[in-house]
Every structure is written in structure tokens, then in C-alpha cells.
Amino acid sequence: MQVSIACTEHNLKSRNGEDRLLSKQSSNAPNVNAARAKFRTVAIIARSLGTFTPQHHISLKESTAKQTGMKYRNLGKSGLRVSCLGLGTWVTFGGQISDEVAERLMTIAYESGVNLFDTAEVYAAGKAEVILGSIIKKKGWRRSSLVITTKLYWGGKAETERGLSRKHIIEEIVRAMTHVINQGMAMYWGTSRWSAMEIMEAYSVARQFNMIPPVCEQAEYHLFQREKVEVQLPELYHKIGVGAMTWSPLACGIISGKYGNGVPESSRASLKCYQWLKERIVSEEGRKQQNKLKDLSPIAERLGCTLPQLAVAWCLRNEGVSSVLLGSSTPEQLIENLGAIQVLPKMTSHVVNEIDNILRNKPYSKKDYRS
């Protein structure tokens, strides 16, 4: 199954021919269309630019695989079951790592019970989608056992190759995504980096014109980014059933601990195209974050886990999160992050309160202020 995600400044793109809902074919990848045609998608529509509140308690039915220990939750209130940890391909596939390492990462994830793999048409100019599809074909994994999500917006350089036409208006986006699903090119669609108001408008349009509404929002969520997932999305879940698929649980590596003494040469922040990340790390706010991470380390040690595992488990303890997308550049890193599943049962209310007392950034809803 494939889920497509559209971005607003990242939005939904409509394409002619076999390439629709998939990234633009690059000049050095002549078999892109053939590889992509074999996979259905769940589309997620994106827009450019936490912990739970008791008032918005969400209980997604959760099951655990006996062989791998992986946990599965519904994607929002849809019937789609996704692993609570997924594998993302941003930066890595077609860029930072070789195809061989990408295959190793996908194999580790799949054998660990991961069924959700996330990509986007813009990742490595379309190569990430191709590599992911090629690996699935090579491994011979049952397509019905996988959920593939892709994102739409920045397809190509031409003006007609970017955006979410039919033409960047929410009603037209909903119509386009309904058409995509009705044609069998995707099974579900969702949004990424949309505001709560925009998601609600899309839902209202779908209900008004008997079309298909989004089932999830893909949002950034980690120890230092909490407001949207912990306050806004729970309300949307209860009102219209939109679930949360979160990304960057380690804040682009900031929470990994690797930046405690500067920026290592082999890190993502050392890459020229990630100067913004380096600036964030060396800023005053970045130094404060590193100090908070040092204060969190004793908690991780007490629980018998690493800081990254604690951070991922902290995201998972939010029952309103359907799945947390992991980004890894090495097999060792992926195996470590997947180990967060074993830490999840240790995330008691006492531990969560300890973490909150260190972070001091817990967001509050309007109901919290009234009470």
C-alpha cells in the first residue's frame, strides 16, 4: 500500500501518465517509471514553512508482534495498521549512503517488523523513490505487507512541475487526491506540515462534496518540538480522526549526542547543504539544548538505554502518534534506534515527568489554562 503526502509550500501535484504521484524521473535513472509503476501509494500532502495532555487522551489499539516485538497502531482512525517505527529516506537514500547500505537498512527494518517506509519525490531528485522500489523488488517482499508513503510538491525545476496543482487550492487538492485514490494509485492520503485549520478545511470540503478526507498529518516531533503534536493534533484526532505520523525524533541528529563537542566532519551538519543545521547547533539555543541533553543522560543510564533510544521511546509513549519515522545512515544506528521499542514499557508517568522537569517546554492547551 502506498500513502502519498502533499506539502503546501510543499502541496499536491497532479501529473500526466505513469509518473503521477511519483517523483520526476532523473536523467540518470531511465527505468524510474517502470520501477514506480509497480507500487501503490498512500499520498501525503505537505506544507512548507508531543506529550499527551489528559484532556485529549487518545487510545489507538496497539498490538505487538511476537517474533520481533514491534508494535502496530492504526493510522489515525483509518483501518490501516502501521508499525509504530518506520524508516525514512530523507538525506540518506540516493545521497549520503550507497545503495548497498540502503538495502541493508531496509532489510534490518523489515526483519525487525517495520512495515512503513517513507520517501518523497524530491528526495535525491527522485532517486530515493527508485532505490526504495528497486530494493523491495529485489528482496521479493510481499507488496501487501508494506505501507509506502511518499510526499508531493517539489517535483522538478519547471513551474508546472512544482506545487499541488490542480492548482494549489485546498478544494482542488482534495478533488485531486480523491481522483488518485479512485484510480487505484493510492489507498489513503494525508498532509505534511499543514496547519490544523487547513486540515480541518480539507476535511470539511471532503464531507461537503462527498470526497475522501485525509487520514494523517506528518509532523516534526521531538524533545524540543512539541506544540503541534501534543496540543493541536489530538483535537483533530477526536474531531475528524486524523492521526499523527512524526518525523525527526532526534531533531536531525541534535539529540543523538554527537554534537555535544562541536560538529563532527562526518555528520549531517557538516554537509554544505545543511549549513542551517550547523548554525542551529552552535547558536545559544543550541547550546542550551545540549546542556539539557546532558541532564537527560542519567535518566537514560538508569533505564539501561542510550539517549537516542530514550528520545525515540519518549515520542512513542505519546499514544496519539501512529508511527515515528527513523532516519539512519548506518546499520548500527538503525539497530540502536529500533531498540527504543524495548524502552517504551519503562516510560512511566514518573519518568515522563522527570523529563518534562528538565526540558521545561511542555505545551498547554486552552483547556489547561481554563482548568
Side-chain angles (χ1 to χ4, degrees):
M1 176 172 306
Q2 186 161 329
V3 180
S4 298
I5 300 171
C7 312
T8 44
E9 253 168 70
H10 308 152
N11 289 352
L12 160 68
K13 178 181 312 185
S14 172
R15 286 198 183 193
N16 294 324
E18 296 178 351
D19 222 14
R20 187 169 305 190
L21 272 189
L22 298 169
S23 305
K24 184 176 180 294
Q25 179 174 346
S26 59
S27 58
N28 60 349
N31 297 319
V32 173
N33 287 341
R36 290 173 178 160
K38 298 181 181 295
F39 302 102
R40 290 186 176 182
T41 49
V42 183
I44 295 180
I45 311 251
R47 178 173 291 281
S48 71
L49 287 164
T51 33
F52 253 97
T53 57
Q55 291 80 359
H56 297 295
H57 183 71
I58 297 173
S59 181
L60 301 180
K61 292 182 179 180
E62 185 176 87
S63 61
T64 304
K66 293 182 179 179
Q67 291 183 332
T68 63
M70 179 59 65
K71 297 182 182 298
Y72 300 89
R73 299 171 179 175
N74 286 67
L75 184 59
K77 290 188 179 179
S78 75
L80 181 61
R81 300 287 286 177
V82 294
S83 53
C84 66
L85 291 176
L87 180 64
T89 60
W90 179 38
V91 182
T92 52
F93 282 42
Q96 194 176 15
I97 63 176
S98 66
D99 292 1
E100 291 73 22
V101 173
E103 181 178 345
R104 178 65 178 143
L105 293 176
M106 285 193 65
T107 302
I108 291 172
Y110 185 79
E111 292 179 350
S112 298
V114 171
N115 72 357
L116 174 60
F117 296 89
D118 179 72
T119 186
E121 60 175 356
V122 71
Y123 293 172
K127 289 176 61 179
E129 283 186 331
V130 177
I131 292 170
L132 185 142
S134 298
I135 293 172
I136 293 174
K137 180 179 180 180
K138 178 181 177 181
K139 302 297 289 190
W141 294 330
R142 297 191 317 280
R143 186 61 185 87
S144 59
S145 69
L146 304 173
V147 177
I148 309 298
T149 63
T150 190
K151 291 176 288 295
L152 314 169
Y153 181 78
W154 294 287
K157 295 181 179 180
E159 184 63 26
T160 54
E161 295 173 333
R162 289 179 283 117
L164 296 174
S165 70
R166 320 183 191 191
K167 293 271 185 213
H168 311 269
I169 298 175
I170 288 181
E171 179 181 335
E172 293 172 342
I173 292 172
V174 178
R175 288 186 183 279
M177 296 312 298
T178 298
H179 173 76
V180 164
I181 293 173
N182 288 339
Q183 293 299 309
M185 291 180 281
M187 298 300 292
Y188 300 87
W189 76 278
T191 59
S192 179
R193 304 178 78 173
W194 281 33
S195 69
M197 183 180 298
E198 289 164 338
I199 296 171
M200 182 60 76
E201 182 179 348
Y203 176 85
S204 299
V205 166
R207 288 299 178 231
Q208 180 179 358
F209 296 105
N210 195 29
M211 296 186 289
I212 301 172
V215 299
C216 67
E217 159 67 7
Q218 196 175 96
E220 182 178 3
Y221 184 49
H222 49 74
L223 293 170
F224 304 122
Q225 182 79 25
R226 306 176 58 174
E227 173 80 21
K228 184 173 186 178
V229 173
E230 295 187 11
V231 176
Q232 299 176 24
L233 293 189
E235 188 171 345
L236 283 178
Y237 173 84
H238 285 293
K239 287 183 177 179
I240 61 177
V242 170
M245 184 187 300
T246 67
W247 51 276
S248 200
L250 301 182
C252 294
I254 290 176
I255 300 173
S256 67
K258 70 176 70 174
Y259 298 116
N261 297 311
V263 179
E265 292 184 3
S266 60
S267 65
R268 181 182 299 183
S270 66
L271 302 177
K272 290 183 178 179
C273 56
Y274 286 88
Q275 183 65 28
W276 59 269
L277 179 57
K278 181 177 181 180
E279 292 174 355
R280 180 194 299 181
I281 292 169
V282 300
S283 68
E284 181 179 354
E285 181 61 26
R287 289 193 294 271
K288 290 180 180 178
Q289 290 177 350
Q290 290 301 318
N291 289 333
K292 289 182 179 180
L293 294 177
K294 291 178 181 178
D295 293 337
L296 289 173
S297 294
I299 298 179
E301 292 176 6
R302 191 176 75 242
L303 297 181
C305 66
T306 64
L307 185 58
Q309 289 174 331
L310 178 68
V312 175
W314 178 89
C315 293
L316 287 174
R317 108 290 176 205
N318 186 332
E319 296 175 347
V321 173
S322 297
S323 187
V324 174
L325 299 175
L326 304 174
S328 302
S329 58
T330 66
E332 295 76 17
Q333 183 184 29
L334 178 58
I335 292 172
E336 176 187 0
N337 292 345
L338 288 170
I341 288 290
Q342 308 305 322
V343 183
L344 183 56
K346 303 177 183 179
M347 298 298 293
T348 63
S349 59
H350 174 71
V351 172
V352 172
N353 287 335
E354 278 190 279
I355 295 174
D356 282 337
N357 289 335
I358 292 173
L359 296 176
R360 302 184 69 82
N361 65 352
K362 182 178 180 179
Y364 293 93
S365 68
K366 293 180 180 179
K367 288 185 178 180
D368 292 322
Y369 287 116
R370 288 198 297 267
S371 61

